């Protein structure tokens, strides 16, 4: 048996046999190591130091190396290594800083051979030279590595990392003189054993400690490192600069990493915290472990492949006081449970879809992709490996190309830009949007808008008398208006512009003779919607009836909705941010004769059918022959869902906004939020920032409106030294100058600061506006032709 | 005072601001004056303010802190001796209190209050009562823990154990908090709470250890009495605050050579290490001896100080303390740092559940542990790593945490009795720290060095508490 396994070429599974098995240890293990012929394993820990024989069916305790009455700290092992040349030789690293060697050939019970106490701190790692019998290397918390010649009483050379604690040292398998050391500060160093004065090369491998490293057994240039940052990285050391060639992201800090024998791309890892499993990764497939061993109940502290040429046996020790032999065939394969389907959209709307070949092959229409097999090799061919009981998924990739024209999203962009969502009476909005859709050759959408207008806005024609009635009382409105205009001059960005347009439209209405403007308005609408004219007229006729009827009918159940509208308008005049209609404010009494209720203004954002009723109601209480708007709600709801289902979430959201409270209650909040999110996402992908912002602002979902208030931080550079301003104040902490000085008045700008993106000069909004009225050059005198739009 | 110094200016600005506040409030009838003389009772105001004059870095950190908080508390002023550390400290504290985290803002401040109250640290309690109210906390909670939500009340037990006997913490305690029906904590919340608790326990140590004076706007920070000589206590006049220099103290001369002796010992230890190799049993007994001895170091004049009602209402069971157990001579179980260390285990757990904080704490610990100017009193180019390690390990030793690779005999060589008393008092019952204790250790050292020691003590204590708490949580999780 022994002789057989000494064969250094690849072994068939007949050489070593066994099964998945475990045995209880008396204490948690810190490290394990296996002897060269793979028949024995040594387990070391704080309170354990034993050798077990690996038999066919079980582990058999062979030797307890912890002898003596008083347990010495020299027995408290952080690491252990069995020499790969000399089968009687072991070395341990003790937590108290001692390096101990053990000779199993000693006749006495105490096998301790040599004791080196040169390190001042815990020794984290010991490593024998792979081919040299007497050479031992140690790495310690004190930042030093020492090389011992076991024939001498003390170390022959000391290597100072000049950085922090050494976590791992590993002799290269192929280069006789080279070893790698990993450090607590994230560095990895390469040393030549003959040159203790300085390292050959150093590079930063991880953020935070590098707990372990391992040379590839066959490929001399490859070094795997694992760190607290949960990564395993494979470095190619043959080039001038260490190059990261593979990186595997695990879910917990990586305590040990060991290349799998005979499998070029496989390595095993275990973690120090939280995660108890052992993973075997194919470094080319960094997203899913190739195999997992889930036996341990506490963190795994040591892993080792049983034989250096057999990939099927893995031994592991753990804090749960067990020692396991894992058979590779018993491993869990996460890949089997994974969903091997992938879906991705291309830049121009192409759709790529990869799925198991077996699912797709039945489709006769498939044509080979013209690109051929340029893609990532792993998906497509993998050497069939008879020794692995692992079904590789072979996927078929389908690419669905869409012809460019049909997939153009121009209509989306145009629609988004041209649609009006607020700022005009409901009917006008509908008409406008219908027209937009018509021009973009989308008749169905266009018709939908027209129908919406008919359904919901007929009574709105009748608001006019009510409006007149209100306008006649508008004593205070001009005052409000002027206030608004004044604010606007110092307003900001798009919002202020929006505000301006509102302000203007309202002003028009005020200055125009109400009768005229609205009469014409009326006519237009009536002409377009002829069918409804009769109705409208009918309602006109009844305009003079008593108000009480309506109040008794409408107010009871709809007072609540009405409340929302008035405060909103009041808010908008002063404060843009709290533009949230759901803020309840009780101004109910005002509704009949409030000076604020000019017809237009009330409709700015969300005039509800109810409200328009309330406005007419003053004059026409009786409208029972007319179908109430709520009658249509179910249909509209279905219609919106239909559009959303069809992928035209734009339509759904636009209608939602334009209809406002007419429909809002009908659709559950989650759906609305979903639509809003999708539409906003789309808008942002098309870089329609203004539209997306408007949509956010107009939305009634609290989850959406708050989007506007997230990430409002703006990072700026100092205008003097051009470096980032870290201070919150106005003074740059690097050049100690006031950073935001107005180029016109030379005072510090506190508040609104406008600056040219070309030359980065700027100042008070008003000052710059005034300056650029008279001059096109930058006020700072830098010669730049600033633009103010 | 030199008004040209910016931090001095800020200090005055602060005073002026509150002065103004009270003037406005009372139409100039009553004018408050700061009660203390500068930020610390132990350290002359002049020295603290001078530091920022020479160090541009301190200055900019002060400015940042002032801009961020709208105040510059006395703790920061005193820490200004060590700008490197201060930056790290403020960044962490700011993150814990203000930035993204599982707990809501008022919870965070309330937990801070609970932790500080455990050590009767009125300074921190007052500071955070203000903050707590400012972020919209319910004033009713301040009447006592019984008025706070059930969830916070449950934290009381953890607070108590962590502050005084962290080694008693078991996974059952954790389980209790995590599985309490509707009042239960989530793991992430718990980690946040644990970090806050340990932060404020240790900050309370620092506050007492450096004799931080109350902020002027807090209770006890100002007086309306006119200034008169009776305001100053005699020792204040004798020991600094402008007049007699601390170092000219006649007693100091008597102790002359203290620094030199210490340096000589360090040198010896460095050289003789290899000569006499202590046996393993010897090492173990040394640790045990140091541990038990640390229990016996009398903490202060053992007067029974009953916590004022005002503060004790924030915690239950005021009699529970470190003292209890040391009197009974209870055995503290040994915690092997090689089996559960901050770098390998604690960090990963914290960072997993409360991202970024692990990194910040890691930086802060390293900063505190590695901070050195290679000076000792007036001597330059001294390697102080041995001394720092001795202090750090001595504190961990008091909590039963053992480093396998440390010879605890070194502690005895390097830390004299008065220093041990100071450390012990500050770490275990900080409220009993007196000015005399502060002055009686390391008489020839500078104030900045004593503050440095305080930083070490504070961070070592925090790490010790954290290690126990995190180990319990890890055990719960596995």
């Amino acid at each position: 048996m022994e002789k057989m396994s000494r064969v250094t070429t690849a072994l068939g599974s007949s050489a070593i046999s066994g099964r998945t098995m475990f045995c209880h240890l008396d204490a948690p293990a810190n490290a394990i190591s296996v002897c060269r012929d793979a028949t024995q394993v040594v387990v070391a820990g704080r309170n354990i130091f034993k050798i077990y024989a690996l038999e066919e069916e079980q582990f058999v305790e062979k030797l307890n190396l912890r002898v003596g009455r008083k347990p010495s700290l020299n027995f408290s092992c952080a690491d252990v290594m069995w020499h790969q040349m000399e089968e009687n030789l072991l070395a341990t690293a003790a937590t108290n800083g001692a390096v101990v060697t053990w000779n199993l050939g000693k006749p006495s019970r105490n096998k301790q051979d040599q004791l080196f106490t040169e390190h001042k701190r815990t020794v984290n790692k010991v490593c024998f030279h792979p081919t040299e019998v007497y050479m031992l290397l140690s790495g310690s918390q004190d930042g030093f590595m020492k090389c011992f010649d076991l024939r001498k009483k003390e170390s022959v050379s000391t290597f100072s990392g000049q950085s922090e604690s050494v976590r791992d040292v590993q002799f290269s398998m192929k280069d006789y003189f080279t070893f790698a050391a990993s450090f607590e500060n994230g560095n990895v160093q390469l040393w030549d054993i003959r040159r203790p004065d300085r390292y050959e090369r150093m590079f930063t491998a991880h953020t935070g400690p590098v707990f372990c490293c391992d040379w590839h057994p066959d490929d001399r240039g490859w070094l795997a490192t694992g760190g607290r940052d949960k990564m395993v990285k494979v470095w190619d050391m043959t080039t001038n600069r260490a190059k990261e060639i593979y990186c595997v992201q695990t879910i917990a800090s990586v305590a040990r990493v060991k290349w799998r024998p005979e499998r070029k791309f496989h390595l095993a890892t275990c973690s120090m915290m939280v995660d108890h499993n052992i993973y075997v990764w194919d470094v080319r497939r960094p997203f899913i472990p190739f195999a997992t061993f889930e036996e341990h109940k506490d963190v795994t502290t040591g892993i080792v492949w049983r034989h250096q040429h057999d990939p099927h046996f893995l031994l592991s020790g753990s804090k749960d006081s067990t020692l396991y032999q894992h058979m590779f065939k018993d491993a869990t394969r996460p890949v089997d449970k994974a969903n091997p389907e992938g879906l991705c959209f291309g830049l121009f709307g192409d759709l790529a879809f990869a799925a198991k070949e077996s699912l797709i092959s039945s489709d006769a229409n498939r044509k080979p992709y013209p690109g051929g097999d340029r893609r990532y090799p792993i998906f497509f061919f993998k050497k069939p490996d008879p020794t692995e009981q692992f079904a590789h998924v072979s996927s078929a990739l389908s690419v669905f190309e869409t012809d460019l024209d049909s997939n153009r999203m121009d209509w989306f962009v145009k629609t988004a830009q041209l649609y009006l969502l607020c700022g005009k009476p409901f009917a006008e909005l509908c008409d406008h949007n219908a027209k937009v859709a018509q021009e973009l050759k989308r008749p169905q959408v266009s018709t939908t808008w027209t129908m919406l207008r008919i359904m919901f806005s007929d009574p709105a024609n009748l608001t006019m008398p009510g409006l007149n009635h209100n306008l006649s009382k508008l004593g205070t409105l001009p005052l409000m208006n002027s206030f608004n205009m004044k604010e606007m001059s110092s307003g900001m960005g798009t919002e202020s512009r929006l505000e301006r347009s509102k302000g203007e439209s309202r002003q028009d209405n005020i200055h125009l003779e109400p009768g005229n403007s609205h009469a014409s308005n009326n006519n237009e609408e009536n002409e377009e919607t002829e069918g409804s004219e009769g109705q409208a007229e009918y309602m006109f006729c009844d305009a003079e009836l008593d108000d009480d009827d309506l109040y008794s009918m409408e107010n009871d159940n709809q007072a609540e909705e009405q409340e929302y509208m008035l405060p909103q308008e009041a808010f908008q005049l002063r404060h843009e941010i709290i533009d949230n209609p759901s803020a309840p404010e009780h101004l109910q009494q005002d509704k009949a004769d409030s000076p604020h209720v000019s017809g237009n203004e009330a409709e700015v954002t969300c005039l509800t059918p109810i409200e328009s009723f309330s406005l007419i109601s003053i004059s026409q209480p009786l409208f029972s022959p007319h179908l109430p708007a709520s009658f249509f709600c179910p249909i509209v709801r279905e219609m919106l869902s239909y559009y959303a289902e069809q992928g035209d979430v734009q339509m759904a959201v636009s209608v939602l906004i334009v209809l406002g409270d007419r429909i809002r209650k009908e659709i559950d909040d989650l759906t609305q939020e979903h639509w809003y999110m999708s539409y906003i996402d789309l808008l942002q992908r098309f870089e329609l920032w203004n539209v997306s912002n408007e949509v956010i602002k107009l939305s009634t979902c609290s989850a959406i409106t708050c989007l506007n208030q997230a990430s409002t931080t703006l990072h700026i550079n100092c205008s003097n030294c051009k470096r980032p301003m870290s201070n919150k104040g106005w003074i740059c902490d690097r050049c100690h100058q006031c950073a935001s000085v107005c180029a016109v008045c030379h005072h510090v700008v506190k508040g609104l600061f406008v600056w040219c993106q070309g030359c980065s000069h700027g100042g008070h909004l008003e000052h710059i506006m005034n300056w650029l009225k008279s001059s096109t050059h930058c006020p700072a005198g830098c010669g730049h032709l600033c633009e103010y739009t | 005072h030199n008004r040209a110094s910016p931090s001095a200016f800020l200090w005055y600005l602060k005073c002026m601001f509150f002065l103004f506040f009270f003037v406005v409030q009372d139409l100039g009838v009553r004018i408050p004056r700061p009660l203390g003389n500068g930020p610390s009772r132990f350290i002359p105001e002049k020295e603290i303010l001078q530091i920022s004059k020479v160090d541009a870095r301190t200055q900019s950190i002060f400015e940042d802190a002032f801009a961020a908080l709208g105040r510059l508390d006395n703790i920061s002023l005193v820490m200004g001796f060590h700008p490197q550390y201060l930056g790290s400290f403020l960044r962490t504290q700011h993150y814990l209190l203000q930035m993204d985290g599982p707990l809501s803002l008022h919870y965070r401040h309330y937990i801070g209050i609970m932790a500080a109250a455990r050590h009767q640290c009125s300074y921190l309690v007052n500071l955070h009562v203000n903050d707590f109210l400012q972020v919209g906390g319910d004033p009713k909670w301040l009447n006592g823990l019984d008025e706070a939500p059930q969830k916070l009340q449950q934290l009381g037990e953890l607070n108590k154990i962590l502050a005084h006997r962290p080694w008693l913490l078991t996974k059952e305690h954790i389980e209790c908090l995590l599985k309490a029906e509707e009042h239960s904590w989530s793991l992430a919340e718990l980690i946040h709470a644990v970090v806050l608790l340990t932060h404020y326990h240790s900050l309370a140590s620092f506050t007492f250890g450096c004799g931080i004076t109350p902020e002027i706007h807090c209770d006890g920070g100002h007086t309306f009495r006119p200034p008169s000589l009776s305001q100053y206590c005699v020792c204040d006049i004798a020991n600094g605050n402008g007049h007699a220099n601390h170092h000219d103290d006649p007693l100091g001369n008597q102790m002359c050579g203290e620094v030199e002796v210490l340096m000589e010992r360090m040198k010896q230890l460095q050289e003789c290490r290899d000569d006499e190799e202590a046996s393993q049993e010897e090492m173990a007994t040394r640790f045990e001896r140091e541990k038990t001895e640390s229990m016996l170091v009398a903490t202060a004049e053992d007067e029974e100080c009953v916590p004022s009602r005002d503060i004790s209402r924030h915690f239950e069971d005021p009699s529970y303390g470190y003292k209890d157990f040391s009197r009974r001579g209870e055995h503290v179980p040994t915690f092997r740092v090689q089996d559960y260390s901050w770098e390998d285990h604690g960090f990963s757990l914290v960072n997993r559940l409360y991202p970024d904080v692990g990194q910040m704490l890691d930086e802060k610990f390293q900063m505190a542990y590695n901070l050195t100017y290679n000076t000792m009193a007036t001597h330059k180019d001294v390697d102080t790593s041995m001394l720092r390690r001795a202090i750090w390990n001595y504190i961990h030793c008091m909590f039963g945490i053992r480093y396998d690779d440390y010879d605890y005999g070194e502690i005895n060589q390097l830390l004299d009795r008065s220093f041990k008393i100071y450390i012990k008092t500050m770490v275990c019952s900080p409220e009993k720290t007196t000015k005399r204790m502060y002055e009686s250790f390391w008489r020839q050292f500078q104030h900045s060095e004593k503050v440095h020691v305080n930083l070490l003590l504070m961070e070592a204590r925090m790490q010790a508490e954290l290690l126990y708490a995190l180990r319990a949580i890890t055990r719960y999780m596995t």
Side-chain angles (χ1 to χ4, degrees), chain A residues 46 70 72-74 95-96 120-122 167 184 211 228 251 253 272-274 276 298 727, chain B residues 64 273 280-281 336 338-340 343-345 347-349 352 362 389 402 404-405 474 478:
Chain A
R46 170 171 297 283
K70 295 234 165 135
S72 153
L73 271 184
N74 290 343
T95 51
N96 65 353
K120 294 193 186 79
R121 306 281 307 267
T122 299
R167 299 307 299 241
E184 201 150 290
F211 287 137
R228 194 171 70 179
I251 58 166
S253 58
M272 195 173 269
M273 274 296 284
V274 191
H276 311 159
D298 201 340
N727 261 352
Chain B
D64 282 349
R273 177 187 293 278
Q280 293 309 314
E281 303 97 87
R336 306 276 189 157
Q338 267 77 8
D339 293 345
Y340 199 100
E343 287 79 14
D344 292 3
H345 306 91
F347 171 89
S348 298
L349 184 62
R352 187 184 186 90
D362 200 38
R389 194 170 165 212
R402 178 172 177 193
D404 281 347
D405 51 3
T474 309
T478 50

Side-chain angles (χ1 to χ4, degrees), chain A residues 295-361:
Chain A
E295 280 85 0
H296 286 297
K297 301 279 184 292
D298 201 340
V299 286
T300 310
T301 47
I303 48 175
V304 62
W305 294 95
R306 186 169 161 191
H307 191 276
Q308 48 182 312
H309 292 289
D310 190 330
H312 300 293
F313 296 84
L314 180 69
L315 301 169
S316 68
S318 159
K319 279 243 194 289
D320 66 4
S321 305
T322 56
L323 174 66
Y324 259 93
Q325 169 168 275
H326 309 276
M327 297 295 294
F328 213 80
K329 64 174 164 55
D330 295 334
T332 331
R333 304 298 178 97
V335 173
D336 295 346
K337 293 178 201 148
N339 221 359
E341 270 97 49
L343 182 73
C344 189
F345 269 109
L347 185 60
F348 300 107
D350 296 349
L351 177 69
F353 175 63
K356 269 191 191 163
E357 218 155 31
S358 53
L359 290 177
I360 296 214
S361 54

Side-chain angles (χ1 to χ4, degrees), chain A residues 103-116:
Chain A
N103 185 355
L104 300 181
K106 270 191 170 182
S108 64
R109 265 187 76 220
N110 189 352
K111 311 284 185 195
Q112 181 172 329
D113 192 19
Q114 295 237 58
L115 179 70
F116 304 99

